[in-house]
Amino acid sequence: MRVRFAPSPTGALHIGGARTALYNWLLARGAGGTLVLRIEDTDRERSTPENVEQILEALEWLQIDYDEGPISQVARSERHGEVLQRLLDDGRAYRSTATGDDVKAYKAEHGAERGFRGSDEGEGAVRLRVPDEGSTIVHDVIRGDTAFAHVHLDDPVIARADGSVLYNFAVAVDDLDAHITHIVRGEDHLSNTPKQILLVLEAVAASGIAAETASSDGEAAGAPVYAHLPLLHGPDGKKLSKRHGAASVQDLRDAGYLPEAVRNYLALLGWGDADDETILSTPQLVERFSLQRVSKNPAQFDERKLRWLNGRYLRALSVDDLTARLEAFTGRSGLRDAVEISREKMQTLADFWPLAGFIFDGPADDEKAHAKWLDDDGRAALADARAAIAQLDPFTLENTQAALEGVVAARNSKPKQVFQPIRVALAGSAVSPGIFETLSVLGRDEALARIDAALERDNK
């Protein structure tokens, strides 16, 4: 098996492209095959080195490796020109100056459903001759067979007047030369497929143009197996876009998702294991993935579900592993104790600093939290709590818990009426890790200093 992932470097790697890369990677790794990375950079105005680097960076973060490449499509221009000239010499392609208006006029005369046919004018863009009879059948693992009657297909433009080839031509030649056996890509490419099949089978093969390199098994090149993946929609049922949240792999990385959780979630967007499991390790995905279980219906990307799944993965990490990832994510060090008391409340790496950053940077300044929890009753409860923990020896989590539960009982109040004023004094807001754990990490002196500052502030 030889598969390829062929992104266009016109922007960051979006989530749909990442799923395509993942499915190709799973197929190759599961079958002991080869994954080729080809950069389809024929759009010279929008294809930039920076975008290529973004794509490579995204694949590296997702831990999707490849066996051959990255191969620049533009770097193969000489090969494309060689094949193009052979098709022209054999009369299987021709030059035409026909414009869009000419095509419309042709259809007005011959019928809107009739594919455009031109004549060789010796100049202009290059079009492939499509036979009038018969049809091209796309055999798709996901969608079944789709027949495209030739009579309805225009003679497609395959190269500009200057000889530079267009997307469909370059793709067909590159797939032929690379001996790609399975083409897995988005369904938006389905309409391109009959043109590419015609180029490979009807034109290239008929002209006796062999693949540039010999195949490993010595067999003649033919049409690969196709699988066109369903579109990705947002929770509202509309095509996935930035309005639904994260739109690219970099967005997911910067939002604090784990690559292994993203791989798991992307795999389930359109594919499901026979056991209908949700949490599947990467080795399990490699073992179980198959194109036969990919749905042809649109899949829904819901970032809330990804957050939930990411939280499961995050909490399954060891404290040391999670700490290392958080220190890399935040650029801070010495986080282990705070990580240990925060992990149960986190779903992404980005959740950590808003939750526990006060331990390192001091209390926040949440006026609403102060007004709600440090009124007269709150300050009185905070003062009682201070008195109870100030005399503790040793200052341990167990002792602070017993002392503060004693304050709750002595005041005949609800726990939150004592614990929330403490939390606001320590964190500056009403959100933090567990109150006893927070006191333990801060230590007696820092905890008492923050409580004193809160009481002084609210006495002014």
Side-chain angles (χ1 to χ4, degrees), residues 390-402:
Q391 58 188 353
L392 291 178
D393 187 20
F395 191 79
T396 63
L397 186 150
E398 293 78 12
N399 286 347
T400 56
Q401 181 172 352

Side-chain angles (χ1 to χ4, degrees), residues 73-255:
Q73 199 165 52
V74 166
R76 289 177 44 78
S77 296
E78 184 176 346
R79 167 63 173 169
H80 300 151
E82 169 197 331
V83 177
L84 181 69
Q85 188 59 51
R86 180 65 177 271
L87 296 182
L88 285 167
D89 292 344
D90 287 354
R92 298 185 179 276
Y94 63 94
R95 290 190 175 275
S96 169
T97 59
T99 64
D101 288 340
D102 293 330
V103 173
K104 290 179 182 178
Y106 182 94
K107 290 179 180 291
E109 179 181 351
H110 296 87
E113 296 299 311
R114 180 70 167 86
F116 173 76
R117 301 289 182 266
S119 57
D120 193 342
E121 298 165 294
E123 58 182 11
V126 180
R127 290 179 178 269
L128 178 73
R129 293 191 192 279
V130 175
D132 283 328
E133 303 298 324
S135 62
T136 293
I137 299 176
V138 178
H139 301 289
D140 192 293
V141 176
I142 298 170
R143 301 174 181 282
D145 290 353
T146 303
F148 294 84
H150 293 160
V151 69
H152 300 312
L153 299 178
D154 294 338
D155 285 355
V157 177
I158 58 176
R160 303 175 183 88
D162 64 5
S164 58
V165 301
L166 299 184
Y167 169 79
N168 282 309
F169 183 88
V171 166
V173 174
D174 291 346
D175 286 338
L176 175 74
D177 284 347
H179 300 286
I180 300 302
T181 62
H182 294 70
I183 294 179
V184 181
R185 57 189 181 186
E187 71 168 15
D188 51 323
H189 287 285
L190 181 59
S191 62
N192 291 326
T193 304
K195 303 172 189 176
Q196 293 167 13
I197 291 177
L198 280 168
L199 278 161
V200 171
L201 295 184
E202 301 298 333
V204 176
S207 296
I209 301 173
E212 190 174 43
T213 56
S215 63
S216 58
D217 56 13
E219 292 183 0
V225 174
Y226 288 93
H228 289 94
L229 306 176
L231 293 175
L232 293 185
H233 288 175
D236 58 2
K238 297 180 180 179
K239 187 177 179 180
L240 189 65
S241 67
K242 282 185 176 293
R243 69 176 179 274
H244 296 112
S248 70
V249 173
Q250 275 83 356
D251 288 340
L252 295 176
R253 179 199 63 192
D254 296 345

Side-chain angles (χ1 to χ4, degrees), residues 291-304:
L291 291 173
Q292 286 72 20
R293 293 193 62 84
V294 175
S295 170
K296 62 182 178 181
N297 299 318
Q300 186 179 97
F301 178 87
D302 187 341
E303 196 165 345
R304 293 173 301 175

Side-chain angles (χ1 to χ4, degrees), residues 238-384:
K238 297 180 180 179
K239 187 177 179 180
L240 189 65
S241 67
K242 282 185 176 293
R243 69 176 179 274
H244 296 112
S248 70
V249 173
Q250 275 83 356
D251 288 340
L252 295 176
R253 179 199 63 192
D254 296 345
Y257 291 100
L258 306 179
E260 57 266 48
V262 173
R263 289 196 301 272
N264 187 163
Y265 185 70
L266 290 179
L268 298 178
L269 292 179
W271 171 84
D273 183 50
D275 295 331
D276 201 27
E277 294 182 58
T278 299
I279 299 179
L280 293 167
S281 68
T282 299
Q284 287 175 314
L285 291 172
V286 169
E287 179 184 356
R288 302 182 190 184
F289 181 80
S290 71
L291 291 173
Q292 286 72 20
R293 293 193 62 84
V294 175
S295 170
K296 62 182 178 181
N297 299 318
Q300 186 179 97
F301 178 87
D302 187 341
E303 196 165 345
R304 293 173 301 175
K305 292 182 180 178
L306 174 57
R307 279 185 61 86
W308 170 84
L309 183 64
N310 197 77
R312 292 286 299 271
Y313 269 85
L314 186 148
R315 288 186 290 277
L317 297 175
S318 68
V319 174
D320 288 340
D321 189 355
L322 180 54
T323 298
R325 298 194 195 206
L326 278 166
E327 289 184 345
F329 185 78
T330 63
R332 303 288 287 259
S333 60
L335 304 184
R336 191 183 192 284
D337 290 345
V339 171
E340 191 166 15
I341 68 172
S342 304
R343 59 191 311 204
E344 291 303 318
K345 291 189 175 183
M346 295 168 52
Q347 288 189 305
T348 71
L349 299 178
D351 290 342
F352 173 74
W353 205 255
L355 179 65
F358 72 91
I359 293 174
F360 307 94
D361 292 347
D365 190 14
D366 186 337
E367 292 291 347
K368 290 183 178 179
H370 276 271
K372 180 175 181 179
W373 294 109
L374 289 177
D375 55 8
D376 291 343
D377 288 341
R379 288 199 304 274
L382 183 59
D384 288 348

Side-chain angles (χ1 to χ4, degrees), residues 15-89:
I15 291 171
R19 182 189 61 170
T20 299
L22 176 64
Y23 281 12
N24 278 283
W25 184 82
L26 291 173
L27 280 173
R29 296 296 169 259
T34 300
L35 173 59
V36 179
L37 176 62
R38 184 171 71 229
I39 305 298
E40 296 188 340
D41 50 2
T42 52
D43 185 341
R44 303 318 306 272
E45 292 184 1
R46 299 171 61 207
S47 298
T48 66
E50 292 77 16
N51 287 335
V52 173
E53 285 304 312
Q54 284 193 82
I55 291 170
L56 298 180
E57 182 183 76
L59 293 174
E60 181 179 6
W61 180 80
L62 282 170
Q63 298 167 8
I64 294 176
D65 60 342
Y66 42 90
D67 305 297
E68 297 178 12
I71 299 168
S72 164
Q73 199 165 52
V74 166
R76 289 177 44 78
S77 296
E78 184 176 346
R79 167 63 173 169
H80 300 151
E82 169 197 331
V83 177
L84 181 69
Q85 188 59 51
R86 180 65 177 271
L87 296 182
L88 285 167
D89 292 344

